[in-house]
Amino acid sequence: MLDDIKKTLWATADKLRANMDAAEYKHLVLGLIFVKYISDTFAARRAELVTRLTNPADEYFYHEAGPGDIEAELEDRDYYKEVNAFWVPEPARWEALRSAAKQPDIGKRIDEALTLIELENPKLKGILDKRYARAQLPDGKLGELVDLVSTIGFGDSPQSARDVLGQVYEYFLGMFASAEGKRGGQFYTPASIVKTLVAILSPHSGQVYDPCCGSGGMFVQSEKFIEAHGGKIGDVSIYGQEANPTTWRLAAMNLAIRGIDFNLGREPGDTFTRNQHPDLRADFILANPPFNISDWWHGSLTGDARWVYGDPPQGNANYAWLQHMLHHLKPTGRAGIVLANGSMSSSQNSEGDIRAAMVEADVVEVMVALPGQLFFNTQIPACLWFLVKQKTHRKGQVLFIDARKQAAMISRVQSELTDEVIERIGSTVAAWRGEAGADAYQDIPGFCRSVTLAEIAQHGHVLTPGRYVGAEEVEDKDEDFATKMQQLTEKLGEQMAKGAELDQLIRSKLGGLGYGF
């Protein structure tokens, strides 16, 4: 049911965009969904308070309240703050915007509403994008968009509202990433990759950090994982950083819609040169940094404390990301990082030496090779690195998983990992780690193998799973040898007869030309 609603909403919203660039339009649509959400949550809390303040059996009951007293009481901000609802002043409430949707100045009104909401809620300062008055949409289309967002049924309770809205927001993020193609990957990591990272890391409580958080998908999946395993929102605290200012805003809205508390730093900024969380040591790090970036280096990074295993080359940030994450882990922490396949085997500049040092220090725990075509924005094949500060199980070993053949195509150009495949990968790692309740681990040719550091050293510290897991066993089709041999001999006989025929034909043609032999 909700899937149909999401598709219908998207189709309508996409039609309203006319010829506006998807990258621009995204901010208008997602911003409106966010405003509708905070307004609805505020209204739901207000309605709940009216009921409670007038119910003698409720702890909130207001004894001997006069007609104006309840109204005045409803203006007390603390009631809203205690349930994580934002305070929305009257002119900024959704009803006020909806009733003005057909006015020619609706863009200006939305911008003013956003300014008011920011003033009232310091946490949202700088997060709401005031670009509606100058939106390059054809006349009337912005008003139609307001009407469309008004139709999103946000449920009876703030909790169900939050859930529906969060799902619509996430679905739209994915669709915009697809519409933007190459640029879309800068803010969106496909859900199946995030789910795989989360399944292997299994974040349950503590601090979760993503130093290049895009629109916040890693955090959202972490919260979903925690809830699915009996925990609750708030069991983890969220720390993120993002360099792109518009993407930084998308992340903040994505988390606020779900009532997730977050710290994305004081401002958007480059993780290497303007680290927003220098003292953070996290329990879990999940990240999909941009692959192979070459313009990351700055002179101030020479001899940085993060480069424990060697200075990363100035022409490629892959090993800077890996070492940045290790630096920010607690001694008991774990990190999962998506990187280009080249990172597993490159020996350019200092990369081979850094990788060898990391392997020998036993901080590489699991390596996963991924199928192609998982990303919107790149055909570069990718892999997952899992790092730990200190291994508690299987010291001196690395688990290799080759998931290259595990993809399901969802369109001509896009593949994904199904939940069953993700479950298989997650349970393989849990078994290898010897986690409580997991099955006993065993190597599976062509899929997974536990390898000693000595063997990895023999391979020049290359970490490509295909090198280690071997070939999968081919199932015998139960045909007996004699039958198979009979079929092959017959086929060979046919081909030899055909060959003799062709020899004869060539001889006669050449003979006719006076070149007989």
Side-chain angles (χ1 to χ4, degrees):
M1 174 63 183
L2 185 55
D3 285 348
D4 295 340
I5 293 170
K6 289 191 291 202
K7 282 179 187 146
T8 310
L9 284 168
W10 171 257
T12 314
D14 202 36
K15 203 164 94 192
L16 288 176
R17 132 172 114 95
N19 53 8
M20 188 180 191
D21 187 19
E24 279 291 300
Y25 187 60
K26 164 180 79 217
H27 299 286
L28 300 179
V29 178
L30 295 172
L32 281 177
I33 290 176
F34 183 70
V35 173
K36 171 85 161 78
Y37 161 72
I38 56 178
S39 188
D40 277 26
T41 314
F42 172 82
R45 176 62 172 164
R46 201 175 172 87
E48 181 195 357
L49 286 170
V50 170
T51 311
R52 295 185 65 178
L53 289 165
T54 54
N55 174 8
D58 197 290
E59 59 178 316
Y60 280 13
F61 180 56
Y62 192 163
H63 294 272
E64 297 167 10
D69 293 337
I70 298 282
E71 272 303 308
E73 191 69 11
L74 290 172
E75 298 296 305
D76 184 342
R77 310 291 161 95
D78 289 343
Y79 283 127
Y80 302 88
K81 205 180 274 176
E82 69 189 14
V83 293
N84 222 348
F86 294 104
W87 172 268
V88 186
E90 206 156 330
R93 290 174 197 165
W94 189 260
E95 276 311 303
L97 295 177
R98 195 177 65 86
S99 59
K102 299 287 180 281
Q103 303 297 326
D105 66 343
I106 180 62
K108 186 164 156 291
R109 291 180 189 227
I110 296 170
D111 286 344
E112 286 167 356
L114 295 179
T115 305
L116 278 174
I117 291 168
E118 278 197 349
L119 278 172
E120 295 288 351
N121 302 280
K123 194 154 196 242
L124 296 177
K125 185 165 172 41
I127 282 169
L128 305 178
D129 218 340
K130 294 170 276 296
R131 55 168 75 203
Y132 292 86
R134 57 178 199 278
Q136 304 292 305
L137 276 176
D139 281 354
K141 292 288 184 213
L142 184 55
E144 286 181 53
L145 192 57
V146 171
D147 287 342
L148 174 69
V149 173
S150 297
T151 65
I152 306 179
F154 292 160
D156 312 324
S157 70
Q159 185 48 50
S160 63
R162 187 171 277 170
D163 193 47
V164 170
L165 246 166
Q167 287 197 47
V168 170
Y169 192 93
E170 193 174 352
Y171 180 75
F172 272 34
L173 272 177
M175 294 306 284
F176 275 121
S178 186
E180 283 184 51
K182 207 162 179 55
R183 281 177 303 174
Q186 293 171 355
F187 65 85
Y188 187 80
T189 306
S192 73
I193 297 174
V194 184
K195 282 183 190 169
T196 307
L197 278 175
V198 170
I200 294 177
L201 283 178
S202 52
H204 39 83
S205 62
Q207 292 162 318
V208 174
Y209 172 52
D210 181 349
C212 39
C213 67
S215 49
M218 301 283 183
F219 302 135
V220 171
Q221 285 294 346
S222 297
E223 290 281 4
K224 284 184 184 169
F225 175 89
I226 289 159
E227 290 187 303
H229 290 75
K232 56 188 186 300
I233 282 193
D235 283 353
V236 293
S237 43
I238 299 286
Y239 294 85
Q241 178 154 355
E242 171 56 44
N244 179 314
T246 50
T247 306
W248 184 73
R249 292 188 181 115
L250 290 180
M253 292 195 294
N254 197 7
L255 294 167
I257 273 182
R258 293 177 160 78
I260 298 173
D261 208 22
F262 57 88
N263 177 347
L264 300 182
R266 284 193 322 280
E267 58 192 354
D270 176 282
T271 301
F272 295 124
T273 55
R274 284 165 56 209
N275 192 350
Q276 299 287 300
H277 308 289
D279 302 324
L280 174 68
R281 297 296 177 271
D283 296 282
F284 300 97
I285 296 178
L286 303 89
N288 173 21
F291 295 171
N292 303 323
I293 43 174
S294 55
D295 57 350
W296 70 283
W297 181 260
H298 185 270
S300 64
L301 296 170
T302 307
D304 191 288
R306 288 170 283 187
W307 316 144
V308 171
Y309 300 99
D311 285 0
Q314 299 184 12
N316 192 322
N318 289 347
Y319 279 83
W321 286 115
L322 288 167
Q323 295 193 80
H324 173 85
M325 317 250 185
L326 271 169
H327 175 79
H328 281 286
L329 275 183
K330 275 193 181 136
T332 52
R334 249 185 217 149
I337 303 121
V338 189
L339 277 180
N341 271 0
S343 63
M344 301 188 285
S345 56
S346 162
S347 54
Q348 287 179 322
N349 303 316
S350 53
E351 292 185 333
D353 297 336
I354 299 172
R355 187 173 58 253
M358 287 171 62
V359 171
E360 292 303 326
D362 212 11
V363 297
V364 180
E365 187 191 28
V366 183
M367 298 296 301
V368 181
L370 293 173
Q373 297 182 285
L374 287 174
F375 291 88
F376 293 114
N377 61 325
T378 178
Q379 290 308 312
I380 297 174
C383 59
L384 304 179
W385 287 68
F386 292 90
L387 307 176
V388 287
K389 272 277 180 68
Q390 294 167 2
K391 282 184 189 162
T392 48
H393 286 285
R394 297 194 186 258
K395 291 180 179 170
Q397 293 181 55
V398 175
L399 175 63
F400 289 95
I401 295 178
D402 189 346
R404 286 175 301 175
K405 292 183 180 162
Q406 307 288 322
M409 295 305 290
I410 48 173
S411 74
R412 204 170 45 77
V413 293
Q414 185 101 39
S415 72
E416 71 170 12
L417 296 171
T418 62
D419 288 348
E420 292 74 39
V421 169
I422 294 169
E423 165 63 30
R424 183 188 182 196
I425 294 170
S427 54
T428 300
V429 176
W432 181 80
R433 284 185 186 138
E435 288 176 6
D439 297 334
Y441 171 78
Q442 59 187 56
D443 291 338
I444 300 168
F447 179 65
C448 64
R449 185 163 162 246
S450 186
V451 181
T452 63
L453 301 190
E455 186 180 337
I456 296 170
Q458 285 169 1
H459 284 269
H461 296 101
V462 166
L463 295 176
T464 312
R467 280 232 180 162
Y468 301 97
V469 300
E472 56 192 307
E473 291 171 359
V474 179
E475 280 181 37
D476 203 9
K477 293 277 193 302
D478 288 343
E479 296 173 64
D480 66 347
F481 177 75
T483 312
K484 269 190 188 167
M485 204 56 201
Q486 180 69 34
Q487 288 168 342
L488 289 169
T489 313
E490 281 170 16
K491 188 153 196 178
L492 184 62
E494 279 168 32
Q495 287 171 340
M496 286 171 85
K498 183 82 176 157
E501 225 174 276
L502 289 169
D503 284 348
Q504 203 47 49
L505 185 64
I506 292 165
R507 274 173 189 269
S508 67
K509 294 279 186 203
L510 285 169
L513 294 167
Y515 297 102
F517 61 92

